[in-house]
């Protein structure tokens, strides 16, 4: 299996939407109508800070990493936040998640970002085992208020 990682392109939409539904199903989340449409539009908008890298094999797109760069009050350079990382169930265990993170690390370094960070579901032991290979948790707890 050959693996390539690249920026998302307009022709990736159908494959991304299938993975996106699987991702939301994995977490038991239902989003409001139009959110996926708006997310896809922002990913493709060069003027938007939201971007996506896709993992591609001979089976098509098998994973994605959605990230955004933002200003930081703790650094002169921008930070990079990995918001969503997902690999299809059929492609798991083949190093694709690791490859997506390594790709994003290289991208962040090449752009001069000061930090790359992400959050993990406390119960997702598989993802946390992968993340622990790259960084230690900083022991922060997320608080989120829906408005």
């Amino acid at each position: 299996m050959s693996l390539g990682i690249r920026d998302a392109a307009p022709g990736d939409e159908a494959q991304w939407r299938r993975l996106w539904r699987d991702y939301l199903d994995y977490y038991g989340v239902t989003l409001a109508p139009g959110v996926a449409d708006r997310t896809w539009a922002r990913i493709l908008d060069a003027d938007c800070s939201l971007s996506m890298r896709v993992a591609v094999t001979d089976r098509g797109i098998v994973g994605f990493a959605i990230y955004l760069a933002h200003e930081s009050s703790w650094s002169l350079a921008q930070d990079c936040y990995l918001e969503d990382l997902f690999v299809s169930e059929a492609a798991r265990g083949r190093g694709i998640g690791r490859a997506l993170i390594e790709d994003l690390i290289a991208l962040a370094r090449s752009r001069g970002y000061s930090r790359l960070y992400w959050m993990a579901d406390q119960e997702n032991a598989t993802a946390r085992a992968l993340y622990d290979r790259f960084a230690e948790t900083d022991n922060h707890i997320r608080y989120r208020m829906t408005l």
Side-chain angles (χ1 to χ4, degrees), residues 123-137:
E123 303 300 317
N124 192 338
T126 302
R128 292 183 64 199
L130 170 64
Y131 301 154
D132 287 347
R133 295 179 186 175
F134 290 98
E136 293 181 7
T137 179

Side-chain angles (χ1 to χ4, degrees), residues 89-110:
E89 187 173 351
R92 290 185 194 145
R94 298 182 182 154
I96 295 170
R98 184 184 71 246
L100 282 163
I101 293 173
E102 289 171 346
D103 172 76
L104 196 52
I105 290 168
L107 184 85
R109 284 182 174 147
S110 74

Side-chain angles (χ1 to χ4, degrees), residues 48-71:
C48 181
S49 62
L50 196 65
S51 299
M52 180 170 62
R53 301 286 283 170
V54 292
V56 183
T57 69
D58 55 342
R59 295 182 177 172
I61 296 173
V62 296
F64 63 80
I66 299 175
Y67 66 96
L68 62 119
H70 64 85
E71 300 298 326

Side-chain angles (χ1 to χ4, degrees), residues 11-69:
D12 299 332
E13 183 175 6
Q15 292 180 71
W16 171 77
R17 283 184 182 270
R18 185 174 55 253
L19 289 173
W20 184 247
R21 280 190 302 272
D22 291 347
Y23 179 60
L24 297 177
D25 288 348
Y26 178 84
Y27 282 107
V29 174
T30 301
L31 297 177
V35 172
D37 295 337
R38 181 72 177 120
T39 298
W40 181 251
R42 287 186 289 190
I43 286 168
L44 295 181
D45 183 350
D47 293 327
C48 181
S49 62
L50 196 65
S51 299
M52 180 170 62
R53 301 286 283 170
V54 292
V56 183
T57 69
D58 55 342
R59 295 182 177 172
I61 296 173
V62 296
F64 63 80
I66 299 175
Y67 66 96
L68 62 119

